[in-house]
Amino acid sequence: MSFTGFPVAALDFYDDLEMDNTRSFWEANKAVYDESVAAPMKALTDALQPEFGAAKAFRPYRDE
């Protein structure tokens, strides 16, 4: 997969997460995160790796 940007669903995910940062929200929306946030971020870091080296991305979850 090549990086083509982040979809609107990624921004919506973070807006919703700001309103409800609970485990139940995370579990219900993990597929959205994987597809709309994690996959594009992986493509971006892979594209930048030759110039900047390996990167790590952390998932935005706080256990309550």
Side-chain angles (χ1 to χ4, degrees), residues 5-64:
F6 290 95
V8 173
L11 301 176
D12 292 341
F13 171 81
Y14 280 108
D15 285 341
D16 294 342
L17 182 65
E18 184 176 15
M19 301 302 291
D20 184 7
N21 191 5
T22 62
R23 181 178 198 95
S24 60
F25 174 83
W26 178 260
E27 290 171 349
N29 293 280
K30 187 170 183 320
V32 174
Y33 171 79
D34 288 340
E35 182 179 320
S36 300
V37 178
M41 181 60 76
K42 173 82 169 109
L44 176 60
T45 59
D46 287 350
L48 295 174
Q49 184 173 4
E51 186 173 346
F52 296 103
K56 291 184 181 182
F58 298 92
R59 67 185 183 127
Y61 175 71
R62 169 183 62 137
D63 198 3
E64 291 186 24

